[in-house]
Amino acid sequence: MMAIQFRHATLRPPGQALALLDAYLEEHGIGFALISLKGLFLAANDRFLARTDQPCATIGTLPSSHLEQVWSSHVSKRDRTILSQWLATRDTPSGAWNGTVRDHTGEGKQVVSLFRTSLSLSGEEQLFLFRSSPEPNHQPGLLGHHFLSLKKVLLPLILDLRDYATLLPLFIDREIPPWKTSVLLAEEPRWIPGTSFLRITSRQKQPEDSPQWISLKSERTDRIFPPPTRRALFSMDPSLPEQVFLNLPLFRETSFYGWIVWPFSGEGAHRGTLYRRRTIEASSLSEQLHETRSDLLLLPALEKERTQGLYSHRGILKAVQDLMSRERNGAPFGLIGITLADPAGIDPLATHLQTFLRASDLLGHVSPMEFLLIVTDSDRDRTRKTFRRLLSLLEPIALSDYRLNARIGLCHYPEDGTTPLRILRKVFRNDAVHIGLAYQGSLFPSHPNTSNSRKIP
């Protein structure tokens, strides 16, 4: 029996992390458990499970209420209240909780230090630690110190538990047998150059009428994909020459997480419907993966404004820095800067731009009157096409709505600048196209690098 048990198999090889965690817990005599907000064990070591009188229990079905019931028989009535407070998972205040109870189990009286905290912003999983010591030797307050030592080891394990729960429903699909679906997920919280993917599949073929028995497995893959892209790809397996596979990217903001690989078949309208449905599913999965990593503080989410939900000046600057970073994919991208002539146009322009966006584009405010659209994974020609489509959307509206009088500029990374500030300056000060009637007057501040030319930059 393993010293540390988990609710289900892990996606990532946990050997080294589990060995470090187990060695630390044993050295310091600490009972360890992760319990969900529903009160079910997600993981625990033998020392903790021994308190339940079920050391061989199935973790996923063992409630914390059973632990409280068993343990309560060994403590006083007053200490039972403390145990209940410790094991409470719903509506618990944020931050750490400490307490002690006196236990009459075994020989002599033991003082048991209790500790509870969460490792995420949502508190979805609660970490429980306890440590027993003879009453004369009791030293309160040490479990908080041990928690700080264990935090870095625990976060990847919680990430693995959440990713497993997020991916499992993807394989329970009556249209596609589970063994035909696979996911390529970055080994790290997000993909960076030099890291590998895990190929995740169902453990074995399951009866179609028993999807609840599906479990997942993973193996490290050396399969070569093009650099991470936000566009879907079609591929073929040499061993299955007649089968086409649809590869949909998993990404959010500037982070790339991997691919969903589905067999793709059908013709005409059915094929188009299936493509759209799979795209929506990939987008939903991407959001869940991103939310998990943000909740566990494994990657900083880009800052957004509360009013319109656009990225703030700080958020959009961080996005540009992230996309330029060599530690990321360093793929080319385009920038479109829009400067309004009238503050009354802020809300209507934001509405039009949000309907124009692709899922992979980023839109933010550089200043109250300046919008920046980042066209990710785009060469210069593709960025120009996006620019023309945006003009064809906004120009007719601006002719009848004075609020949308604007100046629109375009530039591209890496040709037009290799630092965030330089490229941001250029997109707003470069030769620009004006829409509406404002360019004939003096609504825009003059600048030596601006013109009223209709030439596309």
Side-chain angles (χ1 to χ4, degrees):
M1 183 177 63
M2 290 183 60
I4 299 178
Q5 298 183 44
F6 279 80
R7 181 180 181 181
H8 48 64
T10 58
L11 296 176
R12 299 170 179 84
Q16 184 177 3
L18 281 183
L20 289 171
L21 178 59
D22 184 44
Y24 189 95
L25 296 173
E26 286 304 306
E27 178 185 355
H28 298 281
I30 297 174
F32 151 83
L34 289 172
I35 299 179
S36 72
L37 287 178
K38 296 179 180 179
L40 294 178
F41 280 75
L42 302 175
N45 68 348
D46 289 351
R47 192 179 297 273
F48 208 103
L49 291 175
R51 288 282 180 174
T52 68
D53 288 347
Q54 295 188 29
C56 298
T58 302
I59 293 292
T61 59
L62 183 64
S64 58
S65 57
H66 177 76
L67 169 66
E68 181 180 352
Q69 180 182 0
V70 173
W71 202 333
S72 293
S73 62
H74 303 294
V75 301
S76 67
K77 186 175 181 180
R78 181 189 69 85
D79 285 347
R80 290 173 194 167
T81 302
I82 298 176
L83 277 176
S84 296
Q85 293 173 351
W86 177 50
L87 291 170
T89 52
R90 293 187 178 275
D91 301 322
T92 55
S94 59
W97 184 97
N98 291 275
T100 58
V101 296
R102 282 168 173 75
D103 194 318
H104 299 274
T105 306
E107 299 180 1
K109 185 180 290 186
Q110 298 279 317
V111 177
V112 184
S113 297
L114 308 174
F115 179 85
R116 182 192 71 227
T117 193
S118 173
L119 288 89
S120 66
L121 297 174
S122 66
E124 185 67 27
E125 306 87 2
Q126 297 286 323
L127 168 68
F128 291 82
L129 302 176
F130 77 80
R131 185 184 185 192
S132 301
S133 60
E135 192 164 16
N137 300 328
H138 176 63
Q139 294 179 307
L142 288 179
L143 286 179
H145 169 75
H146 292 304
F147 157 67
L148 294 176
S149 300
L150 295 171
K151 186 175 181 180
K152 287 185 179 180
V153 179
L154 292 172
L155 282 175
L157 297 178
I158 294 177
L159 174 66
D160 200 275
L161 285 167
R162 288 213 199 171
D163 280 351
Y164 191 103
T166 297
L167 293 174
L168 187 60
L170 186 73
F171 292 81
I172 305 175
D173 187 329
R174 297 190 181 277
E175 293 185 9
I176 300 179
W179 57 89
K180 290 188 177 182
T181 300
S182 62
V183 174
L184 295 175
L185 186 66
E187 279 191 304
E188 301 298 324
R190 67 173 173 177
W191 183 86
I192 58 176
T195 57
S196 300
F197 290 103
L198 296 172
R199 183 180 180 86
I200 300 164
T201 56
S202 62
R203 192 165 293 278
Q204 59 184 6
K205 294 184 179 181
Q206 303 290 349
E208 293 184 3
D209 58 347
S210 301
Q212 67 271 20
W213 295 107
I214 292 174
S215 61
L216 305 182
K217 64 177 181 177
S218 69
E219 58 182 354
R220 195 171 183 177
T221 178
D222 295 325
R223 182 176 178 181
I224 303 300
F225 264 83
T229 176
R230 290 163 170 79
R231 295 185 296 275
L233 301 172
F234 288 96
S235 64
M236 297 184 68
D237 188 331
S239 63
L240 300 169
E242 296 182 359
Q243 178 65 68
V244 176
F245 290 90
L246 173 61
N247 306 280
L248 287 171
L250 301 172
F251 66 90
R252 267 299 174 268
E253 294 185 345
T254 58
S255 297
F256 184 82
Y257 302 122
W259 305 83
I260 303 178
V261 183
W262 270 305
F264 200 66
S265 59
E267 296 180 357
H270 173 73
R271 194 164 188 169
T273 301
L274 183 62
Y275 180 89
R276 287 189 293 273
R277 185 186 306 166
R278 296 308 180 202
T279 301
I280 292 172
E281 291 175 358
S283 178
S284 175
L285 179 59
S286 297
E287 289 178 359
Q288 294 176 67
L289 293 171
H290 185 76
E291 183 179 350
T292 290
R293 285 147 178 78
S294 300
D295 187 40
L296 294 174
L297 301 177
L298 291 171
L299 59 88
L302 300 179
E303 182 183 287
K304 287 188 174 182
E305 299 173 341
R306 293 182 180 180
T307 52
Q308 296 164 330
L310 305 184
Y311 293 106
S312 66
H313 173 81
R314 183 182 301 176
I316 207 72
L317 182 60
K318 177 63 175 64
V320 175
Q321 291 172 334
D322 213 18
L323 291 170
M324 287 183 172
S325 173
R326 293 182 180 179
E327 294 180 359
R328 308 297 180 249
N329 57 4
F333 61 91
L335 296 98
I336 298 175
I338 306 171
T339 304
L340 281 168
D342 192 319
I346 293 174
D347 287 337
L349 179 58
T351 300
H352 289 302
L353 291 176
Q354 286 171 326
T355 61
F356 178 81
L357 289 178
R358 303 175 304 165
S360 58
D361 296 335
L362 302 172
L363 176 64
H365 267 144
V366 177
S367 72
M369 302 281 281
E370 293 177 318
F371 290 77
L372 182 70
L373 172 62
I374 301 178
V375 188
T376 57
D377 292 330
S378 175
D379 57 26
R380 185 177 283 276
D381 288 341
R382 189 182 299 274
T383 303
R384 284 198 185 102
K385 290 179 182 178
T386 302
F387 187 88
R388 293 188 183 102
R389 286 193 298 109
L390 181 61
L391 285 180
S392 66
L393 169 69
L394 294 180
E395 277 187 309
I397 303 172
L399 290 175
S400 59
D401 187 346
Y402 75 93
R403 297 176 301 172
L404 294 183
N405 290 331
R407 184 175 69 230
I408 307 178
L410 167 70
C411 65
H412 194 265
Y413 171 82
E415 293 90 337
D416 295 327
T418 54
T419 66
L421 292 179
R422 180 174 297 175
I423 203 167
L424 286 179
R425 270 198 301 268
K426 189 163 187 177
V427 73
F428 288 105
R429 297 184 180 182
N430 199 16
D431 287 347
V433 170
H434 298 80
I435 60 173
L437 303 175
Y439 70 90
Q440 295 179 349
S442 58
L443 293 176
F444 288 107
S446 60
H447 189 278
N449 290 330
T450 60
S451 73
N452 296 334
S453 171
R454 295 292 302 143
K455 183 180 178 182
I456 304 293

